[in-house]
Amino acid sequence: GGDGQPRGSALRHVALVRASTLLDVEGTSTSPIIVEDSTFDRWTSLAVHWDGAHGLVLRRCELGVNTPLAEANHETINGYRAGAIVEGCTFGRRRDYNDVIDLGDTSWGEPVPTVRYNTFLGGDDDAIDLDGSAGWIIGNLVMDHWPRPGASSSANGGGITGNDASETVVMNNVVVRCFHGIGYKNGCQPLIVNNLIMDCHVGVTFYK
């Protein structure tokens, strides 16, 4: 624009329903892309996928909240190589070996992804999982990530988890009724500060 600020894209008050991937953002670098106050339901691969999208902000959306549990068989967000922000969103339950947010590969450096002030309503596998990724995990409410009877044996039931030397700041989160409240493995280096963890099978775990 004439004020020297970069032009951006916005998606607001939209319902995205029934697709393989409902929102795909790739290679947009620092271009601002704001997705607000929208709903995502009934996908067969991912609700949101990003790669190389540093300017993406997903805010106050509902993802999978109105998806029938029988159709909740895929991850919600999968992202790589981006400093995207997910904030103030509500996430419905996922079944079997499917994380809600699964982020990886911040090997380029900064910016790193931020997941803050969201509500996670449950699942058999992990709520927030960062594999080989740095990131900020701040002020989330994570509830009921615990494998249900008959769930996949691979389902972890983790609230906040990391793998493959991920470096995350985990701050001011509330984690309730999860099989693993907070768990990191294989050379991760998290900083875990001021979190409330209660009614979990294991509160905090570090393992190979």
PDB file of all heavy atoms in Angstrom, residues 158-195:
ATOM      1  N   GLY A 158      -1.078 -37.460  25.016  1.00  0.00           N
ATOM      2  CA  GLY A 158      -0.233 -36.407  25.573  1.00  0.00           C
ATOM      3  C   GLY A 158      -0.884 -35.044  25.493  1.00  0.00           C
ATOM      4  O   GLY A 158      -1.552 -34.715  24.511  1.00  0.00           O
ATOM      5  N   GLY A 159      -0.663 -34.226  26.506  1.00  0.00           N
ATOM      6  CA  GLY A 159      -1.142 -32.856  26.460  1.00  0.00           C
ATOM      7  C   GLY A 159      -0.239 -31.985  25.599  1.00  0.00           C
ATOM      8  O   GLY A 159      -0.632 -31.471  24.554  1.00  0.00           O
ATOM      9  N   ILE A 160       1.026 -31.846  26.029  1.00  0.00           N
ATOM     10  CA  ILE A 160       2.035 -31.071  25.301  1.00  0.00           C
ATOM     11  C   ILE A 160       3.265 -31.954  25.183  1.00  0.00           C
ATOM     12  O   ILE A 160       3.807 -32.406  26.202  1.00  0.00           O
ATOM     13  CB  ILE A 160       2.367 -29.769  26.038  1.00  0.00           C
ATOM     14  CG1 ILE A 160       1.121 -28.887  26.147  1.00  0.00           C
ATOM     15  CG2 ILE A 160       3.495 -29.017  25.343  1.00  0.00           C
ATOM     16  CD1 ILE A 160       1.285 -27.696  27.075  1.00  0.00           C
ATOM     17  N   THR A 161       3.710 -32.225  23.953  1.00  0.00           N
ATOM     18  CA  THR A 161       4.788 -33.187  23.745  1.00  0.00           C
ATOM     19  C   THR A 161       5.793 -32.682  22.719  1.00  0.00           C
ATOM     20  O   THR A 161       5.517 -31.784  21.938  1.00  0.00           O
ATOM     21  CB  THR A 161       4.216 -34.541  23.271  1.00  0.00           C
ATOM     22  OG1 THR A 161       3.518 -34.353  22.031  1.00  0.00           O
ATOM     23  CG2 THR A 161       3.249 -35.113  24.292  1.00  0.00           C
ATOM     24  N   GLY A 162       6.981 -33.302  22.742  1.00  0.00           N
ATOM     25  CA  GLY A 162       8.007 -32.959  21.779  1.00  0.00           C
ATOM     26  C   GLY A 162       8.940 -34.125  21.537  1.00  0.00           C
ATOM     27  O   GLY A 162       9.076 -35.030  22.368  1.00  0.00           O
ATOM     28  N   ASN A 163       9.611 -34.093  20.374  1.00  0.00           N
ATOM     29  CA  ASN A 163      10.486 -35.183  19.955  1.00  0.00           C
ATOM     30  C   ASN A 163      11.603 -34.605  19.099  1.00  0.00           C
ATOM     31  O   ASN A 163      11.518 -33.463  18.623  1.00  0.00           O
ATOM     32  CB  ASN A 163       9.667 -36.213  19.160  1.00  0.00           C
ATOM     33  CG  ASN A 163      10.421 -37.500  18.905  1.00  0.00           C
ATOM     34  OD1 ASN A 163      11.490 -37.753  19.471  1.00  0.00           O
ATOM     35  ND2 ASN A 163       9.874 -38.332  18.030  1.00  0.00           N
ATOM     36  N   ASP A 164      12.660 -35.371  18.916  1.00  0.00           N
ATOM     37  CA  ASP A 164      13.737 -35.045  17.974  1.00  0.00           C
ATOM     38  C   ASP A 164      14.360 -33.681  18.251  1.00  0.00           C
ATOM     39  O   ASP A 164      14.440 -32.811  17.379  1.00  0.00           O
ATOM     40  CB  ASP A 164      13.223 -35.102  16.532  1.00  0.00           C
ATOM     41  CG  ASP A 164      12.803 -36.506  16.129  1.00  0.00           C
ATOM     42  OD1 ASP A 164      13.350 -37.464  16.695  1.00  0.00           O
ATOM     43  OD2 ASP A 164      11.925 -36.631  15.253  1.00  0.00           O
ATOM     44  N   ALA A 165      14.803 -33.504  19.489  1.00  0.00           N
ATOM     45  CA  ALA A 165      15.583 -32.316  19.885  1.00  0.00           C
ATOM     46  C   ALA A 165      14.822 -31.004  19.741  1.00  0.00           C
ATOM     47  O   ALA A 165      15.415 -29.954  19.504  1.00  0.00           O
ATOM     48  CB  ALA A 165      16.892 -32.250  19.098  1.00  0.00           C
ATOM     49  N   SER A 166      13.506 -31.041  19.893  1.00  0.00           N
ATOM     50  CA  SER A 166      12.746 -29.791  19.827  1.00  0.00           C
ATOM     51  C   SER A 166      13.088 -28.902  21.020  1.00  0.00           C
ATOM     52  O   SER A 166      13.370 -29.376  22.117  1.00  0.00           O
ATOM     53  CB  SER A 166      11.239 -30.066  19.784  1.00  0.00           C
ATOM     54  OG  SER A 166      10.756 -30.480  21.038  1.00  0.00           O
ATOM     55  N   GLU A 167      13.064 -27.605  20.792  1.00  0.00           N
ATOM     56  CA  GLU A 167      13.341 -26.607  21.825  1.00  0.00           C
ATOM     57  C   GLU A 167      12.118 -25.707  21.935  1.00  0.00           C
ATOM     58  O   GLU A 167      11.852 -24.896  21.047  1.00  0.00           O
ATOM     59  CB  GLU A 167      14.580 -25.787  21.464  1.00  0.00           C
ATOM     60  CG  GLU A 167      15.852 -26.631  21.352  1.00  0.00           C
ATOM     61  CD  GLU A 167      17.055 -25.799  20.990  1.00  0.00           C
ATOM     62  OE1 GLU A 167      16.911 -24.563  20.858  1.00  0.00           O
ATOM     63  OE2 GLU A 167      18.142 -26.375  20.821  1.00  0.00           O
ATOM     64  N   THR A 168      11.362 -25.854  23.019  1.00  0.00           N
ATOM     65  CA  THR A 168      10.133 -25.094  23.176  1.00  0.00           C
ATOM     66  C   THR A 168      10.091 -24.414  24.533  1.00  0.00           C
ATOM     67  O   THR A 168      10.663 -24.896  25.507  1.00  0.00           O
ATOM     68  CB  THR A 168       8.895 -26.003  23.037  1.00  0.00           C
ATOM     69  OG1 THR A 168       9.009 -27.088  23.964  1.00  0.00           O
ATOM     70  CG2 THR A 168       8.779 -26.573  21.640  1.00  0.00           C
ATOM     71  N   VAL A 169       9.379 -23.295  24.575  1.00  0.00           N
ATOM     72  CA  VAL A 169       9.033 -22.645  25.843  1.00  0.00           C
ATOM     73  C   VAL A 169       7.588 -23.005  26.138  1.00  0.00           C
ATOM     74  O   VAL A 169       6.691 -22.702  25.345  1.00  0.00           O
ATOM     75  CB  VAL A 169       9.214 -21.117  25.754  1.00  0.00           C
ATOM     76  CG1 VAL A 169       8.748 -20.466  27.057  1.00  0.00           C
ATOM     77  CG2 VAL A 169      10.680 -20.771  25.464  1.00  0.00           C
ATOM     78  N   VAL A 170       7.359 -23.676  27.260  1.00  0.00           N
ATOM     79  CA  VAL A 170       6.038 -24.155  27.670  1.00  0.00           C
ATOM     80  C   VAL A 170       5.661 -23.402  28.936  1.00  0.00           C
ATOM     81  O   VAL A 170       6.166 -23.683  30.011  1.00  0.00           O
ATOM     82  CB  VAL A 170       6.052 -25.680  27.905  1.00  0.00           C
ATOM     83  CG1 VAL A 170       4.665 -26.178  28.265  1.00  0.00           C
ATOM     84  CG2 VAL A 170       6.594 -26.407  26.684  1.00  0.00           C
ATOM     85  N   MET A 171       4.758 -22.416  28.820  1.00  0.00           N
ATOM     86  CA  MET A 171       4.551 -21.466  29.896  1.00  0.00           C
ATOM     87  C   MET A 171       3.062 -21.188  30.128  1.00  0.00           C
ATOM     88  O   MET A 171       2.300 -20.985  29.181  1.00  0.00           O
ATOM     89  CB  MET A 171       5.261 -20.143  29.553  1.00  0.00           C
ATOM     90  CG  MET A 171       5.182 -19.056  30.602  1.00  0.00           C
ATOM     91  SD  MET A 171       5.993 -17.526  30.040  1.00  0.00           S
ATOM     92  CE  MET A 171       7.668 -18.095  29.762  1.00  0.00           C
ATOM     93  N   ASN A 172       2.658 -21.231  31.392  1.00  0.00           N
ATOM     94  CA  ASN A 172       1.315 -20.773  31.810  1.00  0.00           C
ATOM     95  C   ASN A 172       0.179 -21.584  31.189  1.00  0.00           C
ATOM     96  O   ASN A 172      -0.902 -21.051  30.948  1.00  0.00           O
ATOM     97  CB  ASN A 172       1.116 -19.286  31.492  1.00  0.00           C
ATOM     98  CG  ASN A 172       2.092 -18.400  32.239  1.00  0.00           C
ATOM     99  OD1 ASN A 172       2.667 -18.795  33.248  1.00  0.00           O
ATOM    100  ND2 ASN A 172       2.296 -17.199  31.748  1.00  0.00           N
ATOM    101  N   ASN A 173       0.422 -22.853  30.925  1.00  0.00           N
ATOM    102  CA  ASN A 173      -0.622 -23.731  30.405  1.00  0.00           C
ATOM    103  C   ASN A 173      -1.324 -24.477  31.539  1.00  0.00           C
ATOM    104  O   ASN A 173      -0.749 -24.697  32.609  1.00  0.00           O
ATOM    105  CB  ASN A 173      -0.016 -24.744  29.433  1.00  0.00           C
ATOM    106  CG  ASN A 173       0.677 -24.086  28.256  1.00  0.00           C
ATOM    107  OD1 ASN A 173       0.035 -23.661  27.315  1.00  0.00           O
ATOM    108  ND2 ASN A 173       2.002 -23.988  28.325  1.00  0.00           N
ATOM    109  N   VAL A 174      -2.569 -24.888  31.294  1.00  0.00           N
ATOM    110  CA  VAL A 174      -3.309 -25.753  32.217  1.00  0.00           C
ATOM    111  C   VAL A 174      -3.571 -27.061  31.481  1.00  0.00           C
ATOM    112  O   VAL A 174      -4.186 -27.065  30.414  1.00  0.00           O
ATOM    113  CB  VAL A 174      -4.633 -25.104  32.660  1.00  0.00           C
ATOM    114  CG1 VAL A 174      -5.423 -26.056  33.555  1.00  0.00           C
ATOM    115  CG2 VAL A 174      -4.363 -23.785  33.383  1.00  0.00           C
ATOM    116  N   VAL A 175      -3.092 -28.159  32.053  1.00  0.00           N
ATOM    117  CA  VAL A 175      -3.207 -29.479  31.433  1.00  0.00           C
ATOM    118  C   VAL A 175      -3.956 -30.393  32.404  1.00  0.00           C
ATOM    119  O   VAL A 175      -3.484 -30.636  33.512  1.00  0.00           O
ATOM    120  CB  VAL A 175      -1.830 -30.058  31.086  1.00  0.00           C
ATOM    121  CG1 VAL A 175      -1.977 -31.408  30.390  1.00  0.00           C
ATOM    122  CG2 VAL A 175      -1.034 -29.086  30.215  1.00  0.00           C
ATOM    123  N   VAL A 176      -5.121 -30.890  31.980  1.00  0.00           N
ATOM    124  CA  VAL A 176      -6.010 -31.615  32.877  1.00  0.00           C
ATOM    125  C   VAL A 176      -6.430 -32.943  32.238  1.00  0.00           C
ATOM    126  O   VAL A 176      -6.792 -32.994  31.063  1.00  0.00           O
ATOM    127  CB  VAL A 176      -7.279 -30.775  33.178  1.00  0.00           C
ATOM    128  CG1 VAL A 176      -8.178 -31.489  34.182  1.00  0.00           C
ATOM    129  CG2 VAL A 176      -6.909 -29.391  33.684  1.00  0.00           C
ATOM    130  N   ARG A 177      -6.383 -34.015  33.021  1.00  0.00           N
ATOM    131  CA  ARG A 177      -6.888 -35.329  32.615  1.00  0.00           C
ATOM    132  C   ARG A 177      -6.268 -35.812  31.307  1.00  0.00           C
ATOM    133  O   ARG A 177      -6.958 -36.228  30.380  1.00  0.00           O
ATOM    134  CB  ARG A 177      -8.418 -35.320  32.506  1.00  0.00           C
ATOM    135  CG  ARG A 177      -9.135 -35.061  33.823  1.00  0.00           C
ATOM    136  CD  ARG A 177     -10.644 -35.184  33.671  1.00  0.00           C
ATOM    137  NE  ARG A 177     -11.174 -34.261  32.679  1.00  0.00           N
ATOM    138  CZ  ARG A 177     -11.520 -33.000  32.935  1.00  0.00           C
ATOM    139  NH1 ARG A 177     -11.402 -32.505  34.169  1.00  0.00           N
ATOM    140  NH2 ARG A 177     -11.992 -32.221  31.978  1.00  0.00           N
ATOM    141  N   CYS A 178      -4.934 -35.788  31.249  1.00  0.00           N
ATOM    142  CA  CYS A 178      -4.218 -36.343  30.113  1.00  0.00           C
ATOM    143  C   CYS A 178      -3.366 -37.529  30.581  1.00  0.00           C
ATOM    144  O   CYS A 178      -2.905 -37.563  31.728  1.00  0.00           O
ATOM    145  CB  CYS A 178      -3.321 -35.298  29.466  1.00  0.00           C
ATOM    146  SG  CYS A 178      -4.247 -33.932  28.695  1.00  0.00           S
ATOM    147  N   PHE A 179      -3.168 -38.507  29.698  1.00  0.00           N
ATOM    148  CA  PHE A 179      -2.351 -39.655  30.083  1.00  0.00           C
ATOM    149  C   PHE A 179      -0.923 -39.204  30.386  1.00  0.00           C
ATOM    150  O   PHE A 179      -0.355 -39.567  31.409  1.00  0.00           O
ATOM    151  CB  PHE A 179      -2.365 -40.719  28.983  1.00  0.00           C
ATOM    152  CG  PHE A 179      -1.771 -42.020  29.436  1.00  0.00           C
ATOM    153  CD1 PHE A 179      -2.526 -42.913  30.165  1.00  0.00           C
ATOM    154  CD2 PHE A 179      -0.452 -42.338  29.128  1.00  0.00           C
ATOM    155  CE1 PHE A 179      -1.970 -44.115  30.608  1.00  0.00           C
ATOM    156  CE2 PHE A 179       0.103 -43.537  29.564  1.00  0.00           C
ATOM    157  CZ  PHE A 179      -0.652 -44.419  30.304  1.00  0.00           C
ATOM    158  N   HIS A 180      -0.326 -38.433  29.483  1.00  0.00           N
ATOM    159  CA  HIS A 180       0.941 -37.744  29.743  1.00  0.00           C
ATOM    160  C   HIS A 180       0.644 -36.244  29.728  1.00  0.00           C
ATOM    161  O   HIS A 180       0.281 -35.706  28.689  1.00  0.00           O
ATOM    162  CB  HIS A 180       1.985 -38.054  28.663  1.00  0.00           C
ATOM    163  CG  HIS A 180       2.404 -39.483  28.606  1.00  0.00           C
ATOM    164  ND1 HIS A 180       2.040 -40.326  27.575  1.00  0.00           N
ATOM    165  CD2 HIS A 180       3.149 -40.223  29.446  1.00  0.00           C
ATOM    166  CE1 HIS A 180       2.552 -41.524  27.788  1.00  0.00           C
ATOM    167  NE2 HIS A 180       3.231 -41.498  28.916  1.00  0.00           N
ATOM    168  N   GLY A 181       0.819 -35.571  30.843  1.00  0.00           N
ATOM    169  CA  GLY A 181       0.540 -34.144  30.867  1.00  0.00           C
ATOM    170  C   GLY A 181       1.463 -33.376  29.938  1.00  0.00           C
ATOM    171  O   GLY A 181       1.042 -32.748  28.968  1.00  0.00           O
ATOM    172  N   ILE A 182       2.769 -33.443  30.235  1.00  0.00           N
ATOM    173  CA  ILE A 182       3.811 -32.848  29.401  1.00  0.00           C
ATOM    174  C   ILE A 182       4.899 -33.888  29.244  1.00  0.00           C
ATOM    175  O   ILE A 182       5.404 -34.426  30.235  1.00  0.00           O
ATOM    176  CB  ILE A 182       4.375 -31.561  30.024  1.00  0.00           C
ATOM    177  CG1 ILE A 182       3.281 -30.485  30.137  1.00  0.00           C
ATOM    178  CG2 ILE A 182       5.551 -31.031  29.216  1.00  0.00           C
ATOM    179  CD1 ILE A 182       3.731 -29.211  30.842  1.00  0.00           C
ATOM    180  N   GLY A 183       5.281 -34.204  27.995  1.00  0.00           N
ATOM    181  CA  GLY A 183       6.279 -35.233  27.769  1.00  0.00           C
ATOM    182  C   GLY A 183       7.214 -34.906  26.630  1.00  0.00           C
ATOM    183  O   GLY A 183       6.765 -34.511  25.552  1.00  0.00           O
ATOM    184  N   TYR A 184       8.527 -35.082  26.861  1.00  0.00           N
ATOM    185  CA  TYR A 184       9.534 -34.810  25.836  1.00  0.00           C
ATOM    186  C   TYR A 184      10.524 -35.965  25.762  1.00  0.00           C
ATOM    187  O   TYR A 184      10.865 -36.571  26.777  1.00  0.00           O
ATOM    188  CB  TYR A 184      10.276 -33.508  26.140  1.00  0.00           C
ATOM    189  CG  TYR A 184       9.468 -32.283  25.791  1.00  0.00           C
ATOM    190  CD1 TYR A 184       8.568 -31.733  26.694  1.00  0.00           C
ATOM    191  CD2 TYR A 184       9.585 -31.693  24.540  1.00  0.00           C
ATOM    192  CE1 TYR A 184       7.808 -30.618  26.360  1.00  0.00           C
ATOM    193  CE2 TYR A 184       8.837 -30.582  24.197  1.00  0.00           C
ATOM    194  CZ  TYR A 184       7.952 -30.052  25.111  1.00  0.00           C
ATOM    195  OH  TYR A 184       7.198 -28.951  24.772  1.00  0.00           O
ATOM    196  N   LYS A 185      10.993 -36.270  24.529  1.00  0.00           N
ATOM    197  CA  LYS A 185      11.894 -37.400  24.347  1.00  0.00           C
ATOM    198  C   LYS A 185      12.937 -37.100  23.275  1.00  0.00           C
ATOM    199  O   LYS A 185      12.820 -36.140  22.506  1.00  0.00           O
ATOM    200  CB  LYS A 185      11.095 -38.645  23.961  1.00  0.00           C
ATOM    201  CG  LYS A 185      10.336 -38.536  22.644  1.00  0.00           C
ATOM    202  CD  LYS A 185       9.493 -39.782  22.398  1.00  0.00           C
ATOM    203  CE  LYS A 185       8.707 -39.661  21.094  1.00  0.00           C
ATOM    204  NZ  LYS A 185       7.851 -40.844  20.839  1.00  0.00           N
ATOM    205  N   ASN A 186      13.968 -37.919  23.264  1.00  0.00           N
ATOM    206  CA  ASN A 186      14.979 -37.930  22.202  1.00  0.00           C
ATOM    207  C   ASN A 186      15.681 -36.587  22.028  1.00  0.00           C
ATOM    208  O   ASN A 186      15.669 -35.975  20.961  1.00  0.00           O
ATOM    209  CB  ASN A 186      14.355 -38.380  20.871  1.00  0.00           C
ATOM    210  CG  ASN A 186      13.863 -39.819  20.931  1.00  0.00           C
ATOM    211  OD1 ASN A 186      14.415 -40.629  21.661  1.00  0.00           O
ATOM    212  ND2 ASN A 186      12.819 -40.120  20.176  1.00  0.00           N
ATOM    213  N   GLY A 187      16.291 -36.123  23.118  1.00  0.00           N
ATOM    214  CA  GLY A 187      17.164 -34.957  23.045  1.00  0.00           C
ATOM    215  C   GLY A 187      16.490 -33.606  23.032  1.00  0.00           C
ATOM    216  O   GLY A 187      17.109 -32.602  22.667  1.00  0.00           O
ATOM    217  N   CYS A 188      15.223 -33.538  23.440  1.00  0.00           N
ATOM    218  CA  CYS A 188      14.537 -32.236  23.496  1.00  0.00           C
ATOM    219  C   CYS A 188      15.089 -31.381  24.632  1.00  0.00           C
ATOM    220  O   CYS A 188      15.603 -31.879  25.628  1.00  0.00           O
ATOM    221  CB  CYS A 188      13.036 -32.441  23.712  1.00  0.00           C
ATOM    222  SG  CYS A 188      12.205 -33.236  22.332  1.00  0.00           S
ATOM    223  N   GLN A 189      14.955 -30.073  24.480  1.00  0.00           N
ATOM    224  CA  GLN A 189      15.402 -29.129  25.501  1.00  0.00           C
ATOM    225  C   GLN A 189      14.309 -28.097  25.767  1.00  0.00           C
ATOM    226  O   GLN A 189      14.432 -26.936  25.391  1.00  0.00           O
ATOM    227  CB  GLN A 189      16.691 -28.442  25.048  1.00  0.00           C
ATOM    228  CG  GLN A 189      17.836 -29.396  24.806  1.00  0.00           C
ATOM    229  CD  GLN A 189      19.090 -28.671  24.391  1.00  0.00           C
ATOM    230  OE1 GLN A 189      19.660 -27.871  25.139  1.00  0.00           O
ATOM    231  NE2 GLN A 189      19.535 -28.926  23.171  1.00  0.00           N
ATOM    232  N   PRO A 190      13.211 -28.512  26.413  1.00  0.00           N
ATOM    233  CA  PRO A 190      12.140 -27.553  26.702  1.00  0.00           C
ATOM    234  C   PRO A 190      12.444 -26.717  27.945  1.00  0.00           C
ATOM    235  O   PRO A 190      13.175 -27.145  28.846  1.00  0.00           O
ATOM    236  CB  PRO A 190      10.933 -28.465  26.956  1.00  0.00           C
ATOM    237  CG  PRO A 190      11.545 -29.686  27.575  1.00  0.00           C
ATOM    238  CD  PRO A 190      12.868 -29.876  26.878  1.00  0.00           C
ATOM    239  N   LEU A 191      11.861 -25.529  27.992  1.00  0.00           N
ATOM    240  CA  LEU A 191      11.809 -24.726  29.199  1.00  0.00           C
ATOM    241  C   LEU A 191      10.355 -24.731  29.664  1.00  0.00           C
ATOM    242  O   LEU A 191       9.474 -24.232  28.959  1.00  0.00           O
ATOM    243  CB  LEU A 191      12.268 -23.290  28.921  1.00  0.00           C
ATOM    244  CG  LEU A 191      12.135 -22.307  30.091  1.00  0.00           C
ATOM    245  CD1 LEU A 191      12.990 -22.736  31.272  1.00  0.00           C
ATOM    246  CD2 LEU A 191      12.489 -20.895  29.640  1.00  0.00           C
ATOM    247  N   ILE A 192      10.085 -25.318  30.835  1.00  0.00           N
ATOM    248  CA  ILE A 192       8.727 -25.529  31.323  1.00  0.00           C
ATOM    249  C   ILE A 192       8.541 -24.677  32.573  1.00  0.00           C
ATOM    250  O   ILE A 192       9.186 -24.912  33.597  1.00  0.00           O
ATOM    251  CB  ILE A 192       8.488 -27.018  31.622  1.00  0.00           C
ATOM    252  CG1 ILE A 192       8.727 -27.850  30.351  1.00  0.00           C
ATOM    253  CG2 ILE A 192       7.088 -27.254  32.165  1.00  0.00           C
ATOM    254  CD1 ILE A 192       8.712 -29.348  30.577  1.00  0.00           C
ATOM    255  N   VAL A 193       7.664 -23.662  32.485  1.00  0.00           N
ATOM    256  CA  VAL A 193       7.555 -22.656  33.542  1.00  0.00           C
ATOM    257  C   VAL A 193       6.081 -22.362  33.857  1.00  0.00           C
ATOM    258  O   VAL A 193       5.272 -22.126  32.944  1.00  0.00           O
ATOM    259  CB  VAL A 193       8.240 -21.327  33.118  1.00  0.00           C
ATOM    260  CG1 VAL A 193       8.162 -20.306  34.244  1.00  0.00           C
ATOM    261  CG2 VAL A 193       9.681 -21.566  32.715  1.00  0.00           C
ATOM    262  N   ASN A 194       5.712 -22.395  35.131  1.00  0.00           N
ATOM    263  CA  ASN A 194       4.407 -21.884  35.597  1.00  0.00           C
ATOM    264  C   ASN A 194       3.209 -22.576  34.944  1.00  0.00           C
ATOM    265  O   ASN A 194       2.236 -21.921  34.576  1.00  0.00           O
ATOM    266  CB  ASN A 194       4.294 -20.370  35.360  1.00  0.00           C
ATOM    267  CG  ASN A 194       5.216 -19.582  36.274  1.00  0.00           C
ATOM    268  OD1 ASN A 194       5.708 -20.096  37.271  1.00  0.00           O
ATOM    269  ND2 ASN A 194       5.472 -18.342  35.911  1.00  0.00           N
ATOM    270  N   ASN A 195       3.272 -23.904  34.819  1.00  0.00           N
ATOM    271  CA  ASN A 195       2.145 -24.652  34.287  1.00  0.00           C
ATOM    272  C   ASN A 195       1.394 -25.351  35.420  1.00  0.00           C
ATOM    273  O   ASN A 195       1.983 -25.704  36.444  1.00  0.00           O
ATOM    274  CB  ASN A 195       2.636 -25.698  33.286  1.00  0.00           C
ATOM    275  CG  ASN A 195       3.337 -25.076  32.107  1.00  0.00           C
ATOM    276  OD1 ASN A 195       2.713 -24.612  31.167  1.00  0.00           O
ATOM    277  ND2 ASN A 195       4.666 -25.048  32.150  1.00  0.00           N
TER     278      ASN A 195
END
